[in-house]
């Protein structure tokens, strides 16, 4: 008997049936893919942060450097649609973002939230409670009074803004092929939209950060049921890795017991507001490796990178110019203290490295309205100074810190010129820095030393893994990696780059869009099954 077809009935063009996303390499492929699935239906994206920075004057606004939001921005410019975000720069509530000539561009609806409410939502609940909880840092949780109420209220207002944009009548209203909501700050938006009633396009959500394992025996935090139930309102909830997706499922089962069931594709849960059916998917996020490769050798970025290194006392080609690079927001989950301990162990084990191999940490401050972050930044500064006092050699310092953001055009050559990259996150949804470094090496042999607690370590093979919780062991792995035959290191980097080119950020987007949009294209019937 013939095997049943793995694609049941999709209504999708033939070109998308065999392997719909494997051939996607760049923005043009993604736009074509979107059009084949959604036709002229626009896309509606909802995020906490806006994709542009208001400048005013003739220039009006600027695009922040690179990153995932700029990939989504480029798609929206081409296919048209709307982006709803909390306003974090000046200017009007509504901005028309133009596309290239001939492309529709999109409308950015910015939601102004009073500062006290924003404080409770962002610093209070999102980054004072959810972030530390899901990064297994319960000791850093600090929940100001009314933070949960502020979180609910901001989610409600964002949902209201989305509903308004669906209702605005023929002229201003939008009929999107799907609505794509992002990250832990906005978990309740889908539920609030469903409470408004009426038919909705498919609602997709992407959870960018880790999901922690349910705490055996201990009662769950009182808000967890609410956040999980909020997520059940979406038709698709995407996670970075299987581990995080499976932990989410475990959490659902721990909270809902026999009212939940999972058939390997669809999760069904009998909630107080009815039975919810959704697809919890695994979509590891990525970068545009060709773009980083190109930037890493572009003289326009290379020349300023060389002069920046000279200013830092790390002039390439000089005996004291070697450096390991790290690039992260100043966040405790990125393991700054663990990294300093690793460097300390490295110098203790091999004192000849002092004077020859520094740590260049590029670390812009972040979330300074949260006390845990302010205290952490102070502690990192104290520890960096102590290491500098102990291992200084003349004018040479072991730790060079740049506390600011650098444009990716400058970051890429800095990655390329380094002796290696240290990623020491104690927990990380994915970690894009690791992927940017690998893409920028392009034929180079500098190794990536990657924390095994990152999504990148869980989803890519053949990388040198370290454990920031064990700096002595990690320092030995780093020393071995640095002295490994250059050809072996180069081969490892090449293999990683090939993997990244296949699993790039455009493909990540396509995989997120595939199921919800194919559902729209069949007018509400979920008929698509991924090829096995
Ligand atoms: P982040 O926690 O911010 O992201 P990461 O994935 O490393 O962590 O992305 C950081 C981005 O900011 C990178 O593109 C990096 O180049 C850039 N960046 C960091 N410091 C910079 C600096 N000094 N100057 C310029 N650019 C800098 C969250 C989750 C991650 C997940 C991403 C995407 O915490 O786990 O990988 O979202 O889903």
């Amino acid at each position: 008997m013939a095997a049943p077809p793995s694609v049941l009935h999709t209504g999708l063009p033939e070109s998308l049936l065999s392997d719909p996303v494997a051939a996607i390499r760049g923005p043009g492929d993604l736009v074509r893919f979107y059009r084949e699935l959604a036709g002229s239906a626009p896309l509606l994206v909802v995020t906490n942060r806006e994709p542009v920075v208001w400048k005013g004057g003739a220039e009006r606004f600027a695009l922040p450097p690179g990153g995932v939001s700029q990939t989504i921005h480029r798609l929206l410019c081409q296919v048209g649609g709307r982006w709803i975000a909390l306003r974090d720069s000046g200017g009007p509530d509504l901005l028309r973002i133009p596309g290239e000539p001939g492309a529709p561009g999109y409308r950015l609806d910015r939601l102004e939230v009073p500062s006290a409410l924003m404080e409770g939502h962002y610093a209070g609940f999102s980054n004072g409670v959810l972030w530390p909880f899901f990064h297994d840092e319960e000791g850093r949780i600090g929940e100001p009074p009314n933070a949960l109420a502020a979180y609910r209220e901001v989610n409600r207002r964002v949902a209201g803004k989305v509903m308004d944009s669906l209702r605005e009548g023929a002229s201003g209203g939008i009929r999107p092929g799907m609505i794509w909501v992002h990250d832990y700050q906005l978990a309740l938006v889908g539920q609030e939209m469903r409470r408004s009633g009426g038919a909705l396009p498919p609602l997709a959500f992407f959870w960018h950060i880790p999901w922690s394992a349910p705490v055996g025996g201990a009662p769950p935090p009182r808000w967890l049921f609410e956040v999980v139930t909020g997520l059940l309102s979406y038709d698709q909830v995407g996670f970075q890795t299987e581990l995080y997706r499976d932990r989410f499922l475990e959490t659902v089962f721990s909270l809902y017991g026999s009212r939940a069931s999972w058939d390997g594709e669809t999760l069904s849960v009998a909630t107080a507001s009815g039975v919810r059916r959704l697809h919890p998917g695994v979509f590891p996020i990525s970068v545009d490796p060709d773009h980083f490769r190109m930037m890493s050798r572009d003289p326009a970025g290379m020349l300023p990178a060389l002069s920046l290194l000279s200013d830092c006392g790390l002039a390439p080609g000089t005996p004291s110019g070697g450096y390991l690079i790290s690039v992260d927001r100043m966040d405790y989950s990125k393991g700054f203290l663990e990294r300093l301990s690793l460097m300390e162990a490295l110098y203790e084990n091999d004192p000849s490295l002092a004077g020859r191999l520094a740590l260049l940490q590029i670390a812009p401050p972040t979330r300074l309205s949260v006390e845990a972050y302010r205290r952490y930044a102070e502690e990192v500064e104290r520890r960096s100074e102590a290491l500098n006092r102990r291992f200084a050699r003349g004018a040479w310092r072991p730790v060079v810190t740049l506390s600011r953001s650098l444009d990716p055009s400058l970051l890429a050559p800095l990655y390329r010129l380094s002796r290696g990259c240290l990623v020491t996150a104690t927990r990380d949804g994915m970690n894009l820095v690791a992927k940017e470094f690998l893409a920028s090496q392009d034929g180079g042999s500098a190794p990536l030393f990657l924390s095994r607690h990152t999504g990148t370590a869980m989803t890519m093979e053949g990388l040198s893994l370290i454990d920031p919780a064990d700096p002595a062991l990690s320092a030995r792995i780093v020393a071995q990696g640095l002295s490994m035959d250059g050809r072996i290191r180069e081969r490892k980097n090449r293999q990683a780059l090939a993997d990244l080119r296949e699993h790039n950020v455009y493909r990540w987007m396509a995989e997120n869009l595939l199921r919800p949009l194919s559902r729209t294209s069949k007018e509400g019937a979920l008929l698509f099954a991924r090829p096995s």
Side-chain angles (χ1 to χ4, degrees):
M1 197 173 74
S6 56
V7 175
L8 301 176
H9 170 200
T10 67
L12 292 174
E14 274 300 312
S15 60
L16 295 181
L17 291 183
S18 50
D19 191 352
V21 291
I24 292 181
R25 287 285 184 276
D29 297 333
L30 178 63
V31 171
R32 275 192 296 283
F33 174 82
Y34 182 91
R35 286 274 179 245
E36 288 206 55
L37 275 180
S40 60
L43 179 63
L44 199 161
V45 173
V46 187
T47 58
N48 182 64
R49 302 203 64 174
E50 49 184 352
V52 303
V53 180
W54 175 256
K55 304 285 265 188
E59 197 189 357
R60 298 188 72 233
F61 56 82
L63 299 173
V68 179
S69 84
Q70 292 312 300
T71 308
I72 303 175
H73 159 86
R74 289 218 290 278
L75 176 68
L76 269 193
C77 282
Q78 291 294 322
V79 304
R82 199 161 296 188
W83 192 316
I84 293 174
L86 300 183
R87 195 164 100 166
D88 54 17
S89 61
D93 285 348
L94 190 160
L95 291 176
R96 288 199 183 281
I97 312 288
E100 312 264 296
Y106 67 95
R107 185 172 126 172
L108 174 62
D109 279 2
R110 313 158 87 213
L111 184 66
E112 175 88 54
V113 175
S115 57
L117 189 56
M118 193 60 194
E119 182 73 14
H121 167 256
Y122 184 73
F125 197 70
S126 299
N127 293 316
V129 178
L130 292 179
W131 180 275
F133 179 82
F134 285 107
H135 287 83
D136 297 328
E137 293 270 4
E138 277 87 347
R140 297 190 198 267
I141 292 178
E143 186 176 351
N146 298 327
L148 178 56
Y151 181 81
R152 286 185 191 126
E153 177 59 16
V154 169
N155 274 258
R156 198 183 62 75
R157 290 187 187 198
V158 172
K161 189 90 174 166
V162 179
M163 293 309 290
D164 287 348
S165 71
L166 300 181
R167 282 194 207 103
E168 273 164 11
S171 56
I174 176 173
R175 285 176 175 275
M178 69 179 264
I179 297 177
W180 196 16
V181 185
H182 286 259
D183 227 357
Y184 61 101
Q185 304 94 345
L186 300 176
L188 308 181
V189 167
Q191 182 179 47
E192 291 296 335
M193 289 173 63
R194 294 211 188 277
R195 281 191 181 136
S196 308
L200 291 171
L203 302 184
F205 185 91
F206 193 77
W207 184 267
H208 288 254
I209 65 175
W211 192 278
S212 29
V215 194
R222 66 191 156 72
W223 49 263
L224 187 62
F225 185 78
E226 186 172 343
V227 168
V228 168
T229 304
L231 290 175
L232 298 177
S233 295
Y234 295 95
D235 298 304
Q236 171 175 287
V237 179
F239 295 92
Q240 305 269 26
T241 69
E242 263 180 46
L243 177 71
Y244 302 148
R245 192 269 316 270
D246 291 352
R247 285 176 172 177
F248 168 75
L249 290 171
E250 277 177 57
T251 306
V252 171
F253 282 106
S254 75
L255 295 171
Y256 276 93
S258 61
R259 285 180 289 156
S261 65
W262 154 249
D263 66 5
E265 278 286 315
T266 303
L267 172 66
S268 306
V269 186
T271 70
S273 51
V275 176
R276 288 290 317 138
R277 286 195 183 82
L278 60 145
H279 173 63
V282 177
F283 309 108
I285 202 165
S286 193
V287 297
D288 178 342
D290 289 336
H291 188 51
F292 269 90
R293 246 180 80 221
M294 204 186 65
M295 287 190 298
S296 74
R297 50 177 65 202
D298 186 343
M302 181 60 84
L303 295 176
L306 290 171
S307 109
L308 184 144
L309 288 172
S310 295
D311 292 348
C312 295
L314 299 171
T318 63
S320 56
Y323 65 93
L324 297 173
I325 191 167
S326 68
V327 178
D328 321 84
R329 295 178 296 104
M330 179 62 79
D331 191 306
Y332 49 79
S333 70
K334 303 295 183 184
F336 280 78
L337 296 175
E338 289 79 357
R339 187 157 54 220
L340 293 172
S341 300
L342 186 162
M343 290 304 294
E344 189 169 28
L346 204 59
Y347 296 128
E348 282 170 353
N349 294 345
D350 182 357
S352 78
L353 287 176
R356 293 195 293 126
L357 185 71
L359 170 67
L360 173 61
Q361 50 179 10
I362 302 171
T366 184
R367 303 174 187 170
L368 288 177
S369 54
V370 184
E371 210 208 321
Y373 282 76
R374 288 196 301 274
R375 275 194 271 118
Y376 189 73
E378 286 162 13
E379 172 73 7
V380 171
E381 196 178 335
R382 267 197 304 278
R383 288 279 304 279
S384 301
E385 281 170 3
L387 209 64
N388 277 346
R389 277 195 300 277
R390 186 171 165 203
F391 293 104
R393 298 287 181 271
W396 182 91
R397 296 283 177 278
V399 183
V400 178
T401 306
L402 295 179
S403 305
R404 60 179 197 266
S405 278
L406 298 183
D407 195 88
S409 61
L410 199 55
L411 273 185
L414 290 176
Y415 286 139
R416 187 182 180 83
L417 294 166
S418 71
R419 296 268 312 275
C421 178
L422 284 181
V423 173
T424 50
T426 53
R427 290 282 177 273
D428 216 334
M430 181 55 60
N431 195 283
L432 294 179
V433 167
K435 296 188 174 187
E436 292 167 0
F437 172 81
L438 290 168
S440 304
Q441 272 300 306
D442 176 32
S445 61
L448 167 69
F449 301 105
L450 176 63
S451 163
R452 66 184 187 85
H453 304 294
T454 59
T456 306
M458 297 171 208
T459 50
M460 285 183 78
E461 288 181 357
L463 302 177
S464 299
L465 300 188
I466 56 173
D467 186 348
D470 190 340
L473 172 69
S474 299
R476 284 201 298 278
I477 295 172
V478 170
Q480 276 164 15
L482 290 173
S483 58
M484 193 191 285
D485 186 300
R487 283 162 305 189
I488 300 177
R489 296 187 312 211
E490 197 183 310
R491 199 177 61 232
K492 275 167 81 101
N493 280 352
R494 248 192 252 290
Q495 282 163 350
L497 180 59
D499 185 346
L500 285 181
R501 296 191 76 195
E502 194 180 336
H503 299 99
N504 57 69
V505 68
Y506 307 104
R507 181 170 174 172
W508 170 78
M509 281 195 66
E511 284 175 345
N512 273 276
L513 300 171
L514 179 61
R515 176 181 288 261
L517 281 175
S518 60
R519 181 182 144 167
T520 316
S521 67
K522 294 305 296 175
E523 293 173 341
L526 183 56
L527 294 168
F528 187 77
R530 290 292 307 279
S532 51

